[in-house]
Amino acid sequence: MEALTTFRSMDESTGEEWAAIAKSVSGDNGAMVDRVLTMLKSLQGSSLCMPIDPYEHCLQTATRAFKDGADEEIVVCALLHDIGDLMAPQNHAEFAAAILRPYVSDMAHGVVLLHEIFQGYHYFDKVGLDRNLRDRFRGHPAFAAAAEFCASWDQAAFDRSYEAMPLAAFEPMLHRVLGRPPYEGNTTDRVDFWGFRINMTPGGAAA
Ligand SMILES: [Fe+2]
Ligand SMILES: [Fe+2]
Protein backbone atom coordinates (compact mmCIF):
# COMPACT_ATOMS: atom_id res chain seq x y z
CA MET A 1 0.00 0.00 0.00
CA GLU A 2 1.31 3.44 -0.91
CA ALA A 3 2.15 5.63 2.05
CA LEU A 4 -0.04 8.71 2.42
CA THR A 5 2.61 10.47 4.40
CA THR A 6 6.07 11.56 3.32
CA PHE A 7 7.67 13.25 6.30
CA ARG A 8 11.26 12.32 7.15
CA SER A 9 10.96 13.43 10.74
CA MET A 10 8.02 14.22 12.97
CA ASP A 11 9.19 17.82 13.16
CA GLU A 12 8.29 18.28 9.49
CA SER A 13 4.99 16.31 9.60
CA THR A 14 1.73 18.12 8.87
CA GLY A 15 -1.74 18.13 10.39
CA GLU A 16 -3.12 16.49 7.23
CA GLU A 17 -0.65 13.67 7.58
CA TRP A 18 -1.62 13.10 11.20
CA ALA A 19 -5.29 13.10 10.24
CA ALA A 20 -4.52 10.31 7.73
CA ILE A 21 -2.56 8.40 10.38
CA ALA A 22 -5.35 8.74 12.93
CA LYS A 23 -7.88 7.44 10.39
CA SER A 24 -5.66 4.51 9.55
CA VAL A 25 -5.11 3.54 13.19
CA SER A 26 -8.72 3.86 14.29
CA GLY A 27 -10.02 2.14 11.16
CA ASP A 28 -7.96 -0.99 11.67
CA ASN A 29 -10.05 -2.56 14.38
CA GLY A 30 -10.48 -5.89 12.58
CA ALA A 31 -6.74 -6.37 12.30
CA MET A 32 -6.38 -5.63 15.99
CA VAL A 33 -8.97 -8.25 16.89
CA ASP A 34 -7.08 -10.74 14.69
CA ARG A 35 -3.84 -9.97 16.51
CA VAL A 36 -5.49 -10.37 19.90
CA LEU A 37 -6.98 -13.71 18.81
CA THR A 38 -3.59 -14.89 17.55
CA MET A 39 -2.00 -13.94 20.86
CA LEU A 40 -4.73 -15.71 22.79
CA LYS A 41 -4.37 -18.88 20.70
CA SER A 42 -0.62 -18.82 21.24
CA LEU A 43 -1.29 -19.70 24.87
CA GLN A 44 -2.55 -23.12 23.79
CA GLY A 45 -0.41 -25.97 25.04
CA SER A 46 1.64 -23.90 27.46
CA SER A 47 0.43 -25.60 30.60
CA LEU A 48 2.66 -23.62 33.01
CA CYS A 49 2.14 -26.62 35.32
CA MET A 50 -1.51 -25.67 35.80
CA PRO A 51 -4.35 -28.21 35.43
CA ILE A 52 -5.40 -26.58 32.13
CA ASP A 53 -3.51 -24.25 29.81
CA PRO A 54 -4.07 -20.47 29.96
CA TYR A 55 -6.03 -20.52 26.70
CA GLU A 56 -8.56 -22.99 28.14
CA HIS A 57 -8.52 -21.08 31.42
CA CYS A 58 -9.42 -17.85 29.60
CA LEU A 59 -12.25 -19.55 27.71
CA GLN A 60 -13.52 -21.10 30.92
CA THR A 61 -13.35 -17.82 32.83
CA ALA A 62 -15.22 -16.02 30.04
CA THR A 63 -17.82 -18.78 29.79
CA ARG A 64 -18.51 -18.66 33.51
CA ALA A 65 -18.86 -14.87 33.40
CA PHE A 66 -21.13 -15.05 30.35
CA LYS A 67 -23.36 -17.71 31.87
CA ASP A 68 -23.68 -15.65 35.05
CA GLY A 69 -24.97 -12.73 32.98
CA ALA A 70 -21.92 -10.47 33.29
CA ASP A 71 -21.75 -7.36 31.12
CA GLU A 72 -20.31 -8.00 27.68
CA GLU A 73 -17.20 -5.94 28.39
CA ILE A 74 -16.54 -8.01 31.51
CA VAL A 75 -16.92 -11.21 29.46
CA VAL A 76 -14.34 -9.83 27.03
CA CYS A 77 -12.11 -8.88 29.95
CA ALA A 78 -12.45 -12.42 31.26
CA LEU A 79 -11.47 -13.76 27.84
CA LEU A 80 -8.34 -11.64 27.70
CA HIS A 81 -7.38 -11.24 31.35
CA ASP A 82 -4.47 -13.71 31.17
CA ILE A 83 -3.40 -12.99 27.60
CA GLY A 84 -0.05 -11.78 28.93
CA ASP A 85 0.75 -14.97 30.86
CA LEU A 86 3.72 -15.71 28.59
CA MET A 87 4.67 -12.22 27.37
CA ALA A 88 4.58 -10.56 30.80
CA PRO A 89 4.48 -13.31 33.42
CA GLN A 90 5.50 -10.99 36.25
CA ASN A 91 2.84 -8.34 35.52
CA HIS A 92 0.35 -10.00 33.21
CA ALA A 93 -2.56 -8.05 34.69
CA GLU A 94 -1.03 -4.75 33.59
CA PHE A 95 -0.40 -6.22 30.15
CA ALA A 96 -4.04 -7.21 29.60
CA ALA A 97 -5.37 -4.05 31.24
CA ALA A 98 -3.29 -1.91 28.89
CA ILE A 99 -4.75 -3.61 25.81
CA LEU A 100 -8.31 -3.29 27.09
CA ARG A 101 -8.18 0.14 28.68
CA PRO A 102 -9.14 2.32 25.68
CA TYR A 103 -12.23 0.20 24.99
CA VAL A 104 -13.74 -0.60 28.38
CA SER A 105 -15.08 1.31 31.36
CA ASP A 106 -12.80 2.39 34.19
CA MET A 107 -14.48 -0.26 36.31
CA ALA A 108 -13.71 -3.11 33.90
CA HIS A 109 -10.16 -1.84 33.46
CA GLY A 110 -9.78 -1.80 37.24
CA VAL A 111 -11.00 -5.38 37.49
CA VAL A 112 -8.39 -6.61 35.01
CA LEU A 113 -5.63 -4.55 36.59
CA LEU A 114 -6.41 -5.78 40.13
CA HIS A 115 -7.13 -9.42 39.31
CA GLU A 116 -3.54 -10.62 39.74
CA ILE A 117 -3.43 -9.53 43.39
CA PHE A 118 -7.08 -10.29 44.11
CA GLN A 119 -6.65 -13.83 42.77
CA GLY A 120 -4.12 -14.23 45.57
CA TYR A 121 -6.96 -14.23 48.08
CA HIS A 122 -7.63 -17.77 46.84
CA TYR A 123 -4.06 -19.15 47.07
CA PHE A 124 -1.41 -16.77 48.41
CA ASP A 125 -1.58 -18.44 51.84
CA LYS A 126 -0.49 -21.68 50.16
CA VAL A 127 2.73 -20.11 48.88
CA GLY A 128 3.68 -18.23 52.04
CA LEU A 129 2.17 -14.89 51.06
CA ASP A 130 -0.57 -12.80 52.62
CA ARG A 131 -3.87 -13.73 51.01
CA ASN A 132 -5.31 -10.43 52.19
CA LEU A 133 -2.86 -8.36 50.17
CA ARG A 134 -5.87 -7.11 48.26
CA ASP A 135 -6.95 -5.22 51.39
CA ARG A 136 -4.46 -2.51 50.44
CA PHE A 137 -6.96 -1.65 47.71
CA ARG A 138 -9.93 -1.17 50.06
CA GLY A 139 -11.73 1.90 48.82
CA HIS A 140 -10.72 1.33 45.18
CA PRO A 141 -13.86 1.73 43.03
CA ALA A 142 -13.28 -1.68 41.42
CA PHE A 143 -12.59 -3.55 44.69
CA ALA A 144 -15.91 -5.41 44.93
CA ALA A 145 -16.06 -6.15 41.21
CA ALA A 146 -12.50 -7.50 41.16
CA ALA A 147 -13.17 -9.65 44.22
CA GLU A 148 -16.27 -11.09 42.54
CA PHE A 149 -14.44 -11.60 39.23
CA CYS A 150 -11.83 -13.71 40.96
CA ALA A 151 -14.12 -15.57 43.37
CA SER A 152 -16.84 -16.50 40.89
CA TRP A 153 -14.96 -16.90 37.63
CA ASP A 154 -11.18 -16.63 37.58
CA GLN A 155 -10.17 -18.79 40.53
CA ALA A 156 -12.90 -21.30 39.63
CA ALA A 157 -11.78 -21.74 36.02
CA PHE A 158 -9.24 -24.55 36.26
CA ASP A 159 -11.72 -27.41 35.98
CA ARG A 160 -10.63 -29.99 33.40
CA SER A 161 -14.13 -31.39 33.12
CA TYR A 162 -15.82 -28.02 32.46
CA GLU A 163 -17.13 -27.52 28.95
CA ALA A 164 -16.24 -23.98 27.93
CA MET A 165 -17.82 -22.15 25.02
CA PRO A 166 -15.66 -22.11 21.86
CA LEU A 167 -13.58 -19.06 21.01
CA ALA A 168 -15.84 -18.36 18.01
CA ALA A 169 -18.73 -17.67 20.38
CA PHE A 170 -16.79 -14.77 21.88
CA GLU A 171 -15.47 -13.26 18.64
CA PRO A 172 -18.52 -11.03 17.95
CA MET A 173 -18.25 -9.67 21.50
CA LEU A 174 -14.56 -9.01 20.97
CA HIS A 175 -15.32 -7.09 17.77
CA ARG A 176 -18.01 -5.02 19.49
CA VAL A 177 -15.93 -4.09 22.51
CA LEU A 178 -12.63 -3.46 20.71
CA GLY A 179 -14.60 -1.60 18.04
CA ARG A 180 -15.73 1.09 20.48
CA PRO A 181 -14.34 4.60 20.04
CA PRO A 182 -11.16 4.61 22.14
CA TYR A 183 -11.29 6.20 25.58
CA GLU A 184 -14.98 7.04 25.25
CA GLY A 185 -15.92 5.79 28.72
CA ASN A 186 -12.55 6.47 30.27
CA THR A 187 -12.45 9.14 32.92
CA THR A 188 -9.27 8.34 34.78
CA ASP A 189 -5.82 9.59 33.89
CA ARG A 190 -4.48 7.71 30.91
CA VAL A 191 -0.88 7.89 32.02
CA ASP A 192 0.39 8.14 35.55
CA PHE A 193 4.16 7.97 35.72
CA TRP A 194 5.32 8.38 39.28
CA GLY A 195 2.79 11.09 39.92
CA PHE A 196 3.08 12.83 36.53
CA ARG A 197 -0.51 12.46 35.46
CA ILE A 198 -1.69 13.04 31.93
CA ASN A 199 -5.24 12.83 30.67
CA MET A 200 -5.08 12.55 26.89
CA THR A 201 -8.75 12.75 26.00
CA PRO A 202 -9.15 14.38 22.55
CA GLY A 203 -8.90 18.11 22.84
CA GLY A 204 -8.04 17.85 26.50
CA ALA A 205 -4.96 19.28 28.05
CA ALA A 206 -2.41 17.55 30.16
CA ALA A 207 -3.37 17.85 33.79
FE1 LIG B 1 -4.27 -13.72 35.92
FE1 LIG C 1 -6.89 -16.15 35.34
Side-chain angles (χ1 to χ4, degrees):
M1 192 176 74
E2 198 178 330
L4 295 169
T5 57
T6 56
F7 56 84
R8 294 167 300 175
S9 67
M10 286 190 173
D11 278 344
E12 68 177 32
S13 63
T14 66
E16 289 74 32
E17 286 178 314
W18 284 108
I21 291 165
K23 205 171 157 196
S24 161
V25 170
S26 65
D28 206 10
N29 165 260
M32 185 187 162
V33 170
D34 287 344
R35 277 191 288 275
V36 166
L37 289 171
T38 299
M39 200 185 297
L40 194 59
K41 287 177 196 164
S42 75
L43 299 175
Q44 280 176 303
S46 53
S47 79
L48 303 175
C49 265
M50 299 295 274
I52 58 176
D53 69 33
Y55 172 79
E56 286 297 330
H57 167 69
C58 282
L59 285 179
Q60 193 173 137
T61 307
T63 301
R64 289 178 183 279
F66 179 79
K67 291 194 170 169
D68 280 350
D71 285 349
E72 184 162 274
E73 66 170 9
I74 289 291
V75 175
V76 168
C77 286
L79 184 70
L80 303 185
H81 78 286
D82 281 340
I83 199 168
D85 264 2
L86 299 179
M87 292 282 281
Q90 304 305 325
N91 59 341
H92 73 274
E94 279 184 284
F95 185 95
I99 292 172
L100 285 156
R101 186 170 193 181
Y103 310 103
V104 299
S105 65
D106 293 336
M107 186 65 77
H109 171 254
V111 166
V112 178
L113 196 56
L114 295 178
H115 93 268
E116 195 171 339
I117 288 169
F118 280 47
Q119 187 82 322
Y121 182 75
H122 303 277
Y123 79 95
F124 275 177
D125 55 321
K126 292 154 194 169
V127 296
L129 294 172
D130 177 10
R131 70 190 297 240
N132 293 307
L133 204 55
R134 67 179 193 177
D135 283 349
R136 295 194 192 172
F137 293 89
R138 289 271 173 208
H140 190 288
F143 188 99
E148 192 206 355
F149 178 92
C150 289
S152 301
W153 308 319
D154 195 5
Q155 69 88 24
F158 295 96
D159 185 347
R160 287 179 167 193
S161 63
Y162 186 87
E163 197 149 331
M165 290 155 60
L167 182 58
F170 297 106
E171 284 183 30
M173 304 180 207
L174 205 51
H175 276 279
R176 281 194 290 272
V177 171
L178 298 187
R180 293 173 176 176
Y183 295 105
E184 196 176 49
N186 203 271
T187 59
T188 57
D189 293 323
R190 178 166 157 192
V191 181
D192 179 355
F193 290 128
W194 298 332
F196 290 82
R197 308 170 79 88
I198 301 167
N199 186 320
M200 291 176 68
T201 46

